[in-house]
Amino acid sequence: MIPPTQGFGVAVLALVAVLGFGAFAYRAWKLYRYLRLGWNEDRTQQLGKRLKDELVIYLLQRKLLKRPYYVRGLAHAFIFWGFIVITLGTTDLLLSGLVGLRMPGAESALFVWAVDIFAALVLAAIILALARRLFFKPPRMHIALDGYIILGLIATLMVSLLIFENAGLAAGYLAIHQATPPLAQLVPLAWGGAAGTVFAAAWWVHVVTVLGFAAYLPQSKHLHIVTTLPNVFFRSQRPRGALRFVDKIEEQETFGAATLRDLSWKQHLDGYTCTECGRCSDNCPALATGKPLDPQKIVLDLRDLLLKEGDLLLKDGAATGTPPAHQLASKPEELWACTTCAACVEQCPVTIEHIDKIVDMRRYLVMQEAAAPPEAQRAMTNIERAGNPWGEAASTRGDWAQGLGVPTLAEKPDAEYLYFVGCAASFDRRNQRVAQALAKILQAAGTSFAILATEETCNGDPARRMGNEYLWQLQAQQNIDTFGRYTVRKIIASCPHCFNTIANEYPQLGGRYEVVHALQLVQDLIADRRITLGAGPVESVAYHDPCYLGRHNGIYEDPRAVLDAIDGVRRMEIEPHHRERGFCCGAGGGRMWMEEKVGQRVNHRRVEQILAAGDAKGERPAKVASGCPFCLIMLDEGVGAKGIQEELKPVDVLELVAARLQSEGVMRSNSSSA
Amino acid sequence: MKVAPDGTSVVTEGITWSISPYDEYAIELALEHKDTAADTVVSVISVGGPRTKDALRQALAMGCDDATLVTGDGADALGPLGIANALKSAVDDLKPDLVLCGKQASDDDQGFVGPALAEALGWPHVAVVTKFAPSASGTEIWKEVEGGHEVWKASGPAVLTVQKSAKDPRYPSLPGIMKAKKKEIPERPVAGVDDPVRIEIVKLEPPPGRGGGKIFKDGDTKAHAAELAKLLRDEAKVL
Amino acid sequence: MKIWVIAEKKDGELRRVSRELAAKAATLGDLEILEVTGERVSGAAAASALAERAKVGAPDLILAGATPSGRDVAARLAAKLKRAYLSECTDVAIEGGNIAATRAMYAGKVRARVRAALPAVASVRPNAFPLADGAAEPQITALPAAQTPGLTFVRFEPTASGGGRVPLSEARVIVSGGRGLKGPEAWTAVEALADVLGAALGASRAVTDAGWRPNEEQVGQTGKTVTPDLYIALGISGAIQHLAGMTSSKVIVAVNKDPDADIFKVADYGVVGDVFEFLPAFTEAVKQMKAGA
């Protein structure tokens, strides 16, 4: 192909290139400097895993291809892959235009065909996208002029490409190489003698548009095509349920995030990378029930503030004070509404970390300002003084096990497993029955286990989620010290919050144990035939995925397998809000201890979803089973409030198992009513 | 709360010591005033052994300006008038305009020390206070009574025993806690303090356990209702 | 033994607790009932007047009702006399030269028997002692009090909500309703019972959340903690958050159709049955008793 850059053409092209790339570089450099205002978080661990994530998430677009966005995700994937190919083509155009060189492989049939086909595919996808925004606007989509500009530019690029290929063919400018673009020649347009001019015109339109695009890129959210590359690479490799550790907390001068400088460079990069797709908001249980929290807004508010105040902060380099302009904009009521359910994080195609930002801002409110909602502070004070958020007498912690023959670690220090009961099952009457059920199951299986009773104290999870990192560290250290005294190695937890923090967060303080959730263990016991379950009545049981078991820790199958092993239980899925799309019960993020005054109660919405899922199948479930004490409390309140406690009974899967145990073991006294 | 084997004390192992709730309200009430009048100095004082320092640090972390501990051998075993006299010695040094304390302690639940301190100082006292407002002519003090509040005015210094503050006692911020850890808490000797009254604990018992009550199950509810009314009058003596 | 009872009047009548103390004191020794007179007398002023009199009268034991003002005066009086003060006793006896009393300690979690040398001062809880049967109006000595130097009464500010029922936190009897009452209409019957008993109204969280009753009536961990002599729980299941607010009640009565309801684990008396059958029958029974008594 002979580029139409004879004579002055090269100079003009060079100038336009300099302008285009220059504008890009200038703005990109500025954005980079703004980013560096954030503190220096180390994100270089696990390089191998990072490369793998890059391949799967970035290149293979894995996180985009999730239901219910599958088709739209596929469209985007094609635009993305198309873009890669076309960028190579553009490089070739510029090279040939500026210095008369071709890119290696640019003349091959493979390359030419690829460019051509992808151009057509991309154009088709763009037309679909435009049509969707113009005629079938989705409610959650944050559509701005920016979006139309981008779509318009890309459309222009594709059309001009196809035209100059078509005209170029007609004019004979493409005869220079063997491969001819297949699609471009599908439409035999009658350019006649004007073919050469049309070719040149379309070529220039294409190249200038590309360079204009380059200049525009860092001004728009479309920058994500560049920033997603590092954003995925530098994503958090902590387990999803683990929050960031604050080392040497007693020596810190300030706590939490109140200003732009209190966020890390990676958190600022998240802001640049947000594509404003709204999938996070679409799946947020708080937003769905009318709370002021919108995860997308949290991310964009931080980005917008950085862009607005970046210059000021760069000039004011030495200032350590916080003029109001640099104060983060998210309001407390937005932050407190979050249940840390991770639906946002699960859905985000570009791996933005919403929860970390919210918790960082909570940390400021709680630790620096002591400004948490009063009920939340009471819960924290209770954890400090009584070792549980309810403020129940610590001396009664082991009372649930009275008469069950469950040894304490003090009585049986060589027990294989420590059953870490947690505050809910220790003190909440409803959940005491679940602990009793598990004890019964473990005894029937002959598992060697013991509890800590009054030596156990709150694992600290609610404090940490609420932003009280300090209290969490105090609590965790207490438990770790106790575990150390008994050289505990294996831990069973019936509560996903206990499970999550002990398994994923205690290692931050040096506490490393083999932790299993009770349902994982029970599934093994069933599979190994260490317990046998007897026959029972047929009943339809819906399974509710607890967020800290499912989304946070990927445990979806074991609880289901356990349910399936119970004779007569017909497991029902709460479609479409199940598994990774499960809807939170509303208690996470410390919200169990906060008042819910705005909108609909999250747990009430969940009960409605369960009923609707049943109706869709023509049969409402008789029970809803989960594997979390807080889900149980919230579902209990929900069915009670709706007056349907006789029709839909919330239970824990363990209770269903315990009721069917066939064993020679002595029947202990417990009032399980599953 | 568990009674110790000797029957005259409670088991203190595993208990976290903290400021008694009414004292917390008193501190909060003082700090609420300090929030509006920045030149207010809030000093916190207490009498007791080394463990009492933890409580004082908590008060400092909440925002009190300084703390003093009256301590020494026997500080934890002082009777109520001894405590009042010990506190008087610290108050004499500090010369405050007002002394606030909780309306009663949460160990002995007595409510004696406040009025006793006022007596030792020769100051008037107002009990069950929920609000106060200093002015040029004196301090207006709100005392909670049945159906409302009585407003009293103290022309000079007074002791207020506090029932409640406007807001819940503030949770100390982490910087506050850290600063309080490093603060110096001067001590005054408790020796030689007049301690004329002794109240001896003869026996402690946990309150009678709940449950195991008379529950009417089968039969005519209306008949049960009538019978219950009689029991409440004759047996439980609450009607 | 010389026993003084510091009497309080309400609406011109001797308060019930003062009469209870008078009856008890009469069994312990020679009784004298004193009433500090004057408009708006502060605790310190009353204590001064009493202390002056005590110099002459030399009582061995001074009793006051454990009302807010009774406790206020008694504490200051004891400090003035440099004698022991025992507050909120539920039983009082004289053993040798000592007073022996029963009272709660550790925020009500422990029951204590305590002893102090006479002469001593004690405040006593209402309902601790029975009234003397057919007792004649006792003789009361009036004691005028001078105002406290440095403290003057300014004004009375009534609470906005006005009159009607006793405030929950002070109430001696509470009738409380939960979700088992099915709807706000049921409260006509609940109020009827409360009227007969002179009780305050309480409610469970579920009921206030549903908007059937105002938030101020909520008893529980996030509502009010109450310490009445009698707590009647109607249609309340007994979730731990509710129990946290009322387990310090002296007597708990529970009515619920679910025999497994947790409330029965803490109730002193209970009826498993239909609340709507219970209410009118119980109200009627109480009405008749009060009329007859």
Side-chain angles (χ1 to χ4, degrees), chain A residues 249-250 253 255 366-370 374 377-378 380-381 384-386 393-396 468 470-471, chain B residues 1-2 14-19 21 24 58 168-178 181-182:
Chain A
I249 192 165
E250 305 216 351
E253 304 238 311
F255 305 94
V366 171
M367 295 197 286
Q368 192 78 28
E369 297 285 317
Q377 287 189 345
R378 227 172 288 141
M380 290 191 267
T381 307
E384 248 183 284
R385 296 197 188 161
S395 53
T396 61
N468 199 336
Y470 183 61
L471 180 56
Chain B
M1 209 81 278
K2 283 210 169 96
I15 291 185
T16 314
W17 296 94
S18 56
I19 304 179
E24 275 191 324
Q58 218 186 316
D168 271 346
R170 58 197 60 187
Y171 200 68
S173 70
L174 206 49
I177 296 175
M178 295 303 160
K181 274 199 187 174
K182 303 188 192 108

